[in-house]
Amino acid sequence: MGIPDFAGLAAQLTPQLIQIRRHLHQYPEVAYEEVETTRSIRVWLAEAGIRILEVPLQTGVVAEVSGSMDGAIVALRADIDALPIQEETGLPYASRISGKMHACGHDFHTAAVLGAAYLLKTQEKQLKGTVRFIFQPAEEKGTGAGQIIESGALQGVQAIFGLHNKPDLKTGTVGILPGPLMAAVDGFDIEIEGIGTHAAIPEAGVDPIVAAAQIVSSLQTIVSRNISPLHNAVVSVTSIHGGSTWNVIPDKVVLGGTVRTFQEQVRAKIPEHFRRIIEGVTAAYGTKISLSWFEGPPAVRNDERLSRLSVEAAKKAGLAVVVPVPSPAGEDFAYYQAAMPGSFVFIGTSGTHEWHHPGFTLDDRALQQSVHYLAEAALAALAALEGR
């Protein structure tokens, strides 16, 4: 197989891919509503002659390019959903859908994997093996990857690659890190039941607000006093609901929040610490307290061998490789990595704001090297897996 001119081809494709990215940006669809996004992706793939696999998905697309010679199967994944955020960028191609925005750059990811599919299609006759393209719904819900796996779309896949734009990295750089890159994501609700009473007669009731305040304060000691300083964890209470007026102690308060961890042994212990704190507050204040725990994606944990291949691919694509700071944000790409080796990288996009901000922007020029990188990573993985 000759050496493909991916750099030149990616440069030629970039204006088209920027148009695609901006079209997606104008018409964002949130998790499980990506109907028009799915239709558009199918059209763009079909126009390029790329085979679309019919899998049992309500939204999302799976396609592949297969070479004339048998070989391994590797996958490239993009997420396609937007967020329920009102855009405030003022861009000429800003969202036209009120209250919805691609504020995490999934439109960029979609265009990048689509571009990689276009590049690899040009090498189809020389390709030894198959590259499968996963356009996944509902990443923001943390459940889309599970649907892809359940659909059978990854049957036979031996390695998977993905990327995420990173606003605080400069365009032209890529962050590659073997091991944990993004955190496991868990959520919780704590319902505190007391006895309502007049605010002037607190002794006649059981105050759930005081108990809630004690729980919020005590939860912070989990990280500071129960987790090794050599490990990582974040415990955040993000909502408090209780009471409706100034002179009534309510009968119930509900707390909600999230926990982020990188080490599985830390993740496993934290619910136990929650329960111990709740039991103590129950005994001290006389409230009835229940804990609901919502387990989300595990940590994104990059395979060492594929990380090395990613470094080689990035250099071929002209990207400067840097060591990124692990992010406590979560990604359901981790579910794929639980099933097979995977590599997930941060592509620098010189953004103005962090993910999920209404003013979030990114540099479209990062598309060219992202497309090139993904195509090179797929070829490198097919070569490395040959004969295994």
Side-chain angles (χ1 to χ4, degrees), residues 11-85:
Q12 292 173 28
L13 281 172
T14 297
Q16 177 188 357
L17 295 174
I18 289 175
Q19 286 186 345
I20 286 172
R21 203 284 284 188
R22 293 184 176 184
H23 173 82
L24 292 171
H25 193 85
Q26 287 180 299
Y27 301 99
E29 295 175 301
V30 297
Y32 300 120
E33 297 178 11
E34 311 99 328
V35 175
E36 287 303 312
T37 302
T38 295
R39 186 196 64 79
S40 294
I41 294 168
R42 291 178 71 94
V43 168
W44 293 323
L45 289 167
E47 287 175 346
I50 296 169
R51 186 161 72 100
I52 297 170
L53 306 184
E54 297 305 325
V55 294
L57 293 170
Q58 296 267 327
T59 55
V61 185
V62 180
E64 68 180 22
V65 170
S66 292
S68 56
M69 297 174 282
D70 290 337
I73 305 175
V74 302
L76 304 179
R77 175 271 203 168
D79 37 15
I80 67 173
D81 57 323
L83 286 156
I85 292 174

Side-chain angles (χ1 to χ4, degrees), residues 106-311:
H106 294 186
D107 49 346
F108 177 93
H109 306 160
T110 301
V113 171
L114 188 67
Y118 290 167
L119 290 191
L120 290 162
K121 177 66 176 177
T122 68
Q123 302 300 307
E124 191 169 30
K125 291 182 180 179
Q126 295 81 25
L127 204 62
K128 190 170 185 179
T130 296
V131 183
R132 198 164 290 167
F133 309 100
I134 310 296
F135 297 91
Q136 178 208 303
E139 187 280 327
E140 296 294 354
K141 293 287 187 182
T143 53
Q147 287 200 348
I148 293 289
I149 294 168
E150 290 170 11
S151 76
L154 293 180
Q155 185 173 0
V157 174
Q158 294 164 264
I160 189 165
F161 293 85
L163 56 76
H164 204 296
N165 71 88
K166 199 69 168 71
D168 59 338
L169 292 181
K170 292 181 180 179
T171 301
T173 64
V174 58
I176 302 176
L177 184 69
L181 178 69
M182 300 182 76
V185 179
D186 296 314
F188 61 86
D189 282 335
I190 302 172
E191 186 172 301
I192 305 151
E193 185 180 342
I195 299 174
T197 184
H198 195 293
I201 315 170
E203 71 277 11
V206 175
D207 191 342
I209 288 180
V210 173
Q214 184 62 51
I215 289 173
V216 171
S217 178
S218 297
L219 289 178
Q220 304 311 308
T221 66
I222 292 175
V223 175
S224 66
R225 288 296 175 267
N226 298 119
I227 303 300
S228 166
L230 302 178
H231 291 155
N232 315 87
V234 176
V235 176
S236 292
V237 177
T238 56
S239 66
I240 303 176
H241 298 284
S244 59
T245 188
W246 66 281
N247 62 349
V248 176
I249 292 174
D251 59 3
K252 186 169 70 174
V253 173
V254 178
L255 307 176
T258 186
V259 174
R260 307 298 171 105
T261 51
F262 289 92
Q263 296 82 23
E264 194 56 40
Q265 67 270 33
V266 174
R267 186 188 193 193
K269 289 180 179 178
I270 285 184
E272 176 187 331
H273 295 311
F274 265 69
R275 293 186 186 96
R276 191 181 67 246
I277 288 169
I278 286 170
E279 288 170 3
V281 171
T282 296
Y285 293 90
T287 51
K288 295 179 182 178
I289 305 178
S290 61
L291 171 67
S292 298
W293 196 262
F294 311 106
E295 190 172 287
V300 170
R301 189 173 295 274
N302 288 323
D303 179 81
E304 289 199 17
R305 187 183 187 205
L306 292 187
S307 292
R308 290 195 295 271
L309 294 182
S310 293
V311 169

Side-chain angles (χ1 to χ4, degrees), residues 330-353:
E331 238 287 354
D332 73 355
F333 188 85
Y335 287 125
Y336 301 128
Q337 292 176 311
M340 69 193 68
S343 173
F344 195 74
V345 305
F346 287 149
I347 293 288
T349 52
S350 297
T352 53
H353 296 87

